[in-house]
Amino acid sequence: MGFQMPRGTQDIKGEEIKKWHRLEEMIRQFTYIYDYQEIRTPIFEHTNVFKRGNDSSDMVNKEMYTFQLENSSTSLTLRPEGTAGVVRSFVEHKMYGNADLPAKLYYMGPMCRHERPQKGRQRIFHQFGVEVIGAKSPLLDVDTIALGWSFLQAVGLKDLKVLINTLGDEESRLAYQTVLKEHFKDEIAHMCPDCKRRYEQNPLRILDCKIDAEKESILTAPKMSQYLNEESKQYFQSVLEGLDALGIPYEVDDKLVRGLDYYTHTVFEIVSESKGMGTQATVLAGGRYDGMVSYFGGPSMSGIGWALGMERLILACENEGIVLAEEEGLDAYVLCLSPKVSIQALQITNELRLHGYKTDTDFQNRSFKAQFKTVERKKAKVAIFIGEKDIEQGIITLKVIATQEQHSVPIENIIETMDTLFDEDAHEEHTCSCTSTQCNCK
Ligand code: ATP
Ligand code: MG
């Protein structure tokens, strides 16, 4: 038997990884412009970081990879989400004492959930998420949603919908829970086992059930909006006005309750309506949370955050025909035409790289024909020939593939020649890390 990846996991490589690089680059740009700081928290935490009290979510109850090592009484869990670890860290490092609150943090990385793998649903998947902790204002909710919205716009997605709802404050929520319990009282015996659990732990979550979704009792359930107190109504109204002001289109969805128990006030999702997402259409999801900072031993502070599924984002891009990564060829390929000049070929290759030219060469003494095939396959813009005679005479030949024109120049002029061939604009595109004062990048 060979070795295979565990079910629900994937190797991301080849052309696929270029899409990830492109998206990660955009994430860095966006979080920079919106003034967020990256935070990297451990990939496993003590189990009680995720399993807090009587949480009713599927994620906490059914999907966690929890383990305990032999001879250890410590229970650890592979992180299924980002928020808990970030808030734990916020409290542990007393970030609540910082002068400039809210803390605006973002993360990127793998999450692990034991779910049934399907399109857009893996057991290891990746999230880009943000948490804004230590301040509460409806416009901060808007600002946080705006980052997610503009990022997805910049990626190029068109078939997007923002769904938004409010769960109100604690008072409103408790009032609503009582009403919901009453509503489902007679029906709960006929509902799925998860709903039975939710009925006890958090009846709101019944509205989120994928199995019972079409049941009469769910369809006729009383609406949260009727049980909001004045303050909660006003808060939500201000969020909607802020979204209007920024021109972010949304749809109020009063069935949106979201998967985690700690949410209060605003909850939202950004859904891709492109064909082919199946039931995994939610690309980004989040909400405001109270109580989490104090759970971890910090002061009573509010936070808001969201997480975006990278695999689902890539799927949505594919569905909409968005090309995330153009194939990029080499700037130059150095053909080493004799084993006797392999050192010189390597020197020239190295020199070109130090000047920011994406370059490669041959290390296997392959035939001219084989090396030239590589020039074509790697889409090199310039082929550089290094032969014994050339080196003796101190001359090398460059061939511009697009025009077939050839230049034979003194070895010491190679960079100058390349700079002329690649006009300044083209050269600026290089991510040049050279330290040479001669280079165009300076
Ligand atoms: P779902 O209802 O689809 O299970 P969720 O409510 O569990 O989603 P969140 O915990 O809010 O999802 O995670 C935020 C985002 O992370 C989701 O909107 C989705 O894009 C992505 N995501 C969640 N679980 C998975 C998974 N198993 N595989 C791939 N992406 C996922
Ligand atoms: Mg889920």
Side-chain angles (χ1 to χ4, degrees):
M1 197 195 81
F3 293 107
Q4 277 112 33
M5 303 177 283
R7 209 162 104 79
T9 68
Q10 54 176 343
D11 296 319
I12 310 169
K13 54 182 178 37
E15 285 307 302
E16 201 57 24
I17 199 75
K18 294 183 184 164
K19 299 179 186 172
W20 289 74
H21 289 166
R22 174 75 192 118
L23 288 173
E24 285 161 5
E25 203 179 292
M26 289 185 70
I27 289 169
R28 304 242 183 253
Q29 277 169 358
F30 265 78
T31 48
Y32 174 78
I33 291 186
Y34 279 75
D35 195 26
Y36 280 69
Q37 279 192 346
E38 187 182 4
I39 180 164
R40 301 187 189 186
T41 61
I43 203 147
F44 56 75
E45 297 263 4
H46 290 121
T47 300
N48 61 4
V49 168
F50 304 113
K51 202 175 173 68
R52 297 180 302 275
N54 194 22
D55 195 298
S56 73
S57 66
D58 286 353
M59 191 192 78
V60 170
N61 284 282
K62 300 196 302 193
E63 298 169 359
M64 295 212 303
Y65 284 95
T66 295
F67 59 97
Q68 205 162 335
L69 296 182
E70 241 178 282
N71 304 325
S72 163
S73 56
T74 311
S75 173
L76 298 167
T77 294
L78 299 183
R79 67 176 183 200
E81 54 115 359
T83 308
V86 171
V87 178
R88 194 259 320 127
S89 173
F90 176 85
V91 174
E92 187 163 347
H93 303 292
K94 299 192 173 53
M95 288 185 230
Y96 49 77
N98 288 357
D100 284 312
L101 287 179
K104 292 165 67 184
L105 305 167
Y106 83 95
Y107 57 85
M108 274 197 264
M111 305 293 161
C112 308
R113 298 187 195 177
H114 190 262
E115 333 194 37
R116 193 171 66 80
Q118 47 194 299
K119 200 173 183 185
R121 195 177 292 286
Q122 292 84 24
R123 289 180 172 172
I124 298 182
F125 62 101
H126 299 75
Q127 287 184 336
F128 155 41
V130 303
E131 308 296 340
V132 178
I133 316 172
K136 187 172 184 174
S137 149
L139 290 189
L140 201 50
D141 299 17
V142 174
D143 192 45
T144 311
I145 297 170
L147 163 58
W149 175 254
S150 7
F151 171 71
L152 292 174
Q153 296 294 300
V155 169
L157 290 177
K158 299 251 179 311
D159 298 331
L160 291 178
K161 197 158 82 173
V162 178
L163 301 177
I164 188 159
N165 192 24
T166 180
L167 303 177
D169 58 10
E170 207 181 346
E171 183 187 81
S172 311
R173 210 167 129 166
L174 286 176
Y176 183 48
Q177 282 188 4
T178 313
V179 175
L180 273 186
K181 270 201 141 163
E182 187 57 30
H183 173 81
F184 287 115
K185 192 175 62 181
D186 298 331
E187 275 307 306
I188 195 67
H190 311 294
M191 298 178 88
C192 78
D194 285 328
C195 280
K196 293 192 175 94
R197 173 169 52 77
R198 293 171 185 139
Y199 183 81
E200 296 306 328
Q201 292 177 318
N202 179 2
L204 247 82
R205 296 291 321 287
I206 296 177
L207 303 178
D208 198 25
C209 181
K210 289 180 180 104
I211 298 166
D212 288 328
E214 294 306 315
K215 281 233 164 82
E216 183 70 14
S217 59
I218 290 199
L219 297 173
T220 61
K223 306 266 188 267
M224 176 81 224
S225 52
Q226 295 164 261
Y227 300 90
L228 292 174
N229 59 19
E230 216 28 60
E231 201 190 321
S232 302
K233 266 190 211 156
Q234 190 49 50
Y235 192 97
F236 193 45
Q237 197 49 40
S238 305
V239 173
L240 300 185
E241 280 166 17
L243 290 173
D244 287 335
L246 293 195
I248 299 173
Y250 57 82
E251 211 173 278
V252 175
D253 176 355
D254 51 23
K255 287 233 163 50
L256 189 70
V257 291
R258 300 280 325 123
L260 301 171
D261 276 1
Y262 49 71
Y263 288 124
T264 48
H265 289 293
T266 322
V267 286
F268 51 88
E269 289 188 353
I270 302 183
V271 176
S272 166
E273 297 190 288
S274 63
K275 283 202 185 73
M277 297 300 286
T279 47
Q280 278 65 249
T282 305
V283 175
L284 176 155
R288 178 164 284 287
Y289 45 87
D290 287 335
M292 183 111 89
V293 177
S294 49
Y295 170 88
F296 286 110
S300 165
M301 271 183 178
S302 186
I304 179 161
W306 50 251
L308 171 161
M310 295 287 284
E311 285 82 357
R312 287 198 199 169
L313 171 59
I314 289 172
L315 196 59
C317 287
E318 279 162 14
N319 291 340
E320 291 197 28
I322 295 168
V323 182
L324 285 173
E326 303 283 356
E327 207 187 322
E328 259 186 65
L330 288 178
D331 291 329
Y333 189 81
V334 177
L335 290 89
C336 175
L337 304 179
S338 153
K340 295 199 177 120
V341 292
S342 51
I343 292 236
Q344 285 85 347
L346 181 58
Q347 273 176 332
I348 288 167
T349 303
N350 198 43
E351 185 70 9
L352 286 161
R353 288 169 173 167
L354 289 178
H355 284 78
Y357 289 106
K358 183 175 179 185
T359 310
D360 210 351
T361 187
D362 178 82
F363 290 94
Q364 300 165 86
N365 303 320
R366 291 179 306 155
S367 69
F368 177 85
K369 204 171 148 198
Q371 291 192 49
F372 211 82
K373 279 253 151 57
T374 304
V375 170
E376 288 167 358
R377 269 197 307 271
K378 295 258 181 185
K379 298 194 170 44
K381 294 188 187 83
V382 175
I384 299 175
F385 305 99
I386 314 289
E388 272 178 68
K389 274 218 182 83
D390 304 324
I391 294 297
E392 275 166 26
Q393 294 168 4
I395 295 284
I396 57 164
T397 303
L398 298 88
K399 179 173 184 165
V400 182
I401 302 299
T403 58
Q404 298 285 301
E405 61 185 279
Q406 297 216 31
H407 304 267
S408 289
V409 299
I411 285 192
E412 59 274 18
N413 289 357
I414 181 160
I415 298 300
E416 198 183 308
T417 312
M418 284 291 283
D419 288 350
T420 321
L421 293 176
F422 286 69
D423 60 47
E424 288 222 350
D425 283 352
H427 189 64
E428 270 170 20
E429 284 171 21
H430 293 272
T431 38
C432 185
S433 56
C434 72
T435 48
S436 162
T437 47
Q438 311 293 308
C439 180
N440 278 357
C441 76
K442 290 290 170 312

